[in-house]
Amino acid sequence: MFHVKRAGSDPSDEPEGAGSPQDDTLAGDERPVTHRVRLPVKVVERPLRQVAKRLLMALLVLVVTALVVYADRAGYHDSSDESVDLLDSFYYATVTLSTTGYGDITPVSDSARLTNIFVITPLRVLFLIILVGTTLEVLTERTREEWRLKRWRSALREHTVVVGFGTKGRSAVQTVCATGLRKDQVVVVDPSAKVIDAATADGYAGVMGDATRSDVLKRAEVHKARQIIIAPQRDDTAVLVTLTARQLNRGAKIVAAVREEENAPLLRQSGADAVITSASAAGRLLGMSVLSPAAGMVIEDLIQQGSGLDLVERPVVRAEAGKRPREIDDLVVSVVRGHRVLGYDDQSIGTLQLTDRLITIVRASPGTQVTPQPRPLPAD
């Protein structure tokens, strides 16, 4: 049994976005299984407002019909008192538009019958379209949503799963999307309904639920994902999510964030390919900025994809094979060879090979993209 140190109550900790609900246990607790998939949709109008508008339209049709009948009341016959007043007009409009038709009030004059043919009958059809259309839309909404989910699951391949859509998770997915990843290839997992609503509003698919549970991750199609970003609020949650995700997908690249540096080895043992210590990384950037504000600005620019200078990883092209790292056009920082990451000045590199990958600094442009690595880089 491993022990995970919890971060203290730091005021700078992010309040939103997590991988599991706020509880004090690692596993074995009784949590309600409440999870569902939400796809990004463009909401034109609120459902209640839409229904209310249609009801007002139906009432307007009813009032217009009653006024038409009352205006030509002399052409109608009431079997009860021989005359048609305003109440009788509304009564006749109601039973006529609803196709009930008791027959106690009938049009007897030619003008009243023509009015029924050319005015009241079209109003009756419009009334039925409004009510029946609303009913059919409500009844078919669930079927349409299920069909969209099935089509989404069948088409989702090689996507990115983000667990926790707080400050870290949101920044991570924005950085990945800046390199060319489409938003429809991102699935956000979070237990908060408000966070999932925010994610779907940004164009991402969302799964609401506890990411430490395998059935929640399966709904996010983790077993078909190419990369998984784990950025919950707590380190123990990150460990459990990493264990579950690695069990479901042996080949995905898993990158996790922790707050306490001493918990980083647990994440690597759990199956994470890379572990980022958020508190320490922020502290080192602060220290660097104190010693050299310009250097801090450069580092901040490098890790912010899509603007200024970008730090990217790409394969060696055929024209670069056989050259030394300093002889190619791009500014090479490191060379990835096999399982090793070598500095640009490492003498063991010799000349570049086609199987190598380069970590370079390039000027950001709309066409700059990171070529994905098909398999994760194993830890040493």
Side-chain angles (χ1 to χ4, degrees):
M1 184 68 179
F2 53 81
H3 173 71
V4 180
K5 180 179 179 180
R6 298 176 183 170
S9 56
D10 190 350
S12 64
D13 290 345
E14 53 187 340
E16 79 280 7
S20 66
Q22 297 289 336
D23 53 65
D24 294 327
T25 57
L26 278 174
D29 55 331
E30 295 296 330
R31 305 175 190 169
V33 184
T34 56
H35 51 265
R36 57 188 176 187
V37 180
R38 295 184 185 178
L39 300 181
V41 293
K42 183 179 179 181
V43 180
V44 179
E45 192 173 17
R46 294 181 180 179
L48 290 179
R49 183 180 299 176
Q50 189 173 2
V51 172
K53 180 186 291 186
R54 295 190 181 187
L55 288 176
L56 290 176
M57 291 173 61
L59 290 176
L60 179 61
V61 172
L62 177 63
V63 171
V64 170
T65 305
L67 293 179
V68 170
V69 173
Y70 182 73
D72 195 22
R73 58 188 179 278
Y76 289 83
H77 174 73
D78 187 354
S79 60
S80 61
D81 56 5
E82 303 295 333
S83 63
V84 176
D85 54 14
L86 184 60
L87 178 60
D88 294 332
S89 299
F90 273 95
Y91 167 74
Y92 176 79
T94 302
V95 298
T96 300
L97 294 180
S98 62
T99 67
T100 304
Y102 293 112
D104 48 352
I105 299 178
T106 57
V108 292
S109 67
D110 292 340
S111 62
R113 291 179 178 180
L114 288 173
T115 302
N116 269 262
I117 295 174
F118 295 107
V119 178
I120 296 181
T121 298
L123 289 175
R124 181 190 301 117
V125 174
L126 178 61
F127 184 84
L128 293 177
I129 288 175
I130 293 173
L131 295 185
V132 174
T134 303
T135 304
L136 289 178
E137 184 174 350
V138 172
L139 292 177
T140 58
E141 180 65 28
R142 181 64 180 175
T143 302
R144 183 166 59 245
E145 186 67 19
E146 289 293 336
W147 180 77
R148 288 189 66 213
L149 285 176
K150 289 181 180 179
R151 188 178 63 174
W152 171 75
R153 287 194 176 99
S154 62
L156 198 61
R157 293 287 189 282
E158 298 292 313
H159 59 289
T160 299
V161 176
V162 182
V163 178
F165 201 61
T167 303
K168 292 179 292 186
R170 189 181 297 110
S171 300
V173 72
Q174 289 174 352
T175 300
V176 176
C177 288
T179 63
L181 182 68
R182 303 192 316 271
K183 287 188 175 183
D184 58 2
Q185 284 290 305
V186 177
V187 181
V188 175
V189 182
D190 200 281
S192 172
K194 293 183 178 179
V195 172
I196 294 299
D197 289 340
T200 55
D202 289 340
Y204 310 113
V207 177
M208 187 178 67
D210 181 2
T212 61
R213 297 182 178 273
S214 59
D215 54 346
V216 175
L217 292 181
K218 287 179 181 178
R219 285 181 173 265
E221 304 294 319
V222 164
H223 55 285
K224 297 187 294 185
R226 178 169 60 88
Q227 51 197 15
I228 304 170
I229 300 173
I230 301 175
Q233 289 190 31
R234 292 167 30 181
D235 290 359
D236 52 358
T237 301
V239 172
L240 291 176
V241 174
T242 303
L243 284 169
T244 307
R246 180 55 73 195
Q247 183 181 17
L248 295 174
N249 192 330
R250 297 292 182 181
K253 178 185 293 185
I254 299 180
V255 179
V258 292
R259 297 188 176 186
E260 296 294 334
E261 195 162 0
E262 64 185 69
N263 293 330
L266 291 178
L267 267 297
R268 295 188 180 94
Q269 295 175 11
S270 301
D273 299 295
V275 180
I276 305 299
T277 307
S278 57
S280 299
R284 285 191 287 268
L285 185 59
L286 286 173
M288 180 180 295
S289 300
V290 170
L291 298 175
S292 174
M297 292 174 60
V298 172
I299 297 300
E300 181 70 18
D301 185 20
L302 288 175
I303 62 178
Q304 185 175 356
Q305 293 287 331
S307 62
L309 299 176
D310 279 355
L311 190 65
V312 301
E313 180 181 343
R314 64 171 179 83
V316 174
V317 298
R318 188 171 299 275
E320 297 169 341
K323 296 182 179 181
R324 294 183 178 277
R326 293 184 177 181
E327 296 176 351
I328 68 173
D329 295 335
D330 290 344
L331 180 59
V332 178
V333 177
S334 299
V335 176
V336 181
R337 177 169 293 173
H339 297 168
R340 298 181 300 164
V341 180
L342 306 174
Y344 72 95
D345 57 348
D346 196 313
Q347 297 299 324
S348 62
I349 295 177
T351 59
L352 297 176
Q353 304 172 9
L354 286 175
T355 55
D356 293 340
R357 296 181 66 86
L358 303 179
I359 299 177
T360 64
I361 297 177
V362 298
R363 173 65 61 180
S365 63
T368 302
Q369 295 186 5
V370 178
T371 304
Q373 187 176 357
R375 303 291 296 177
L377 183 66
D380 293 336

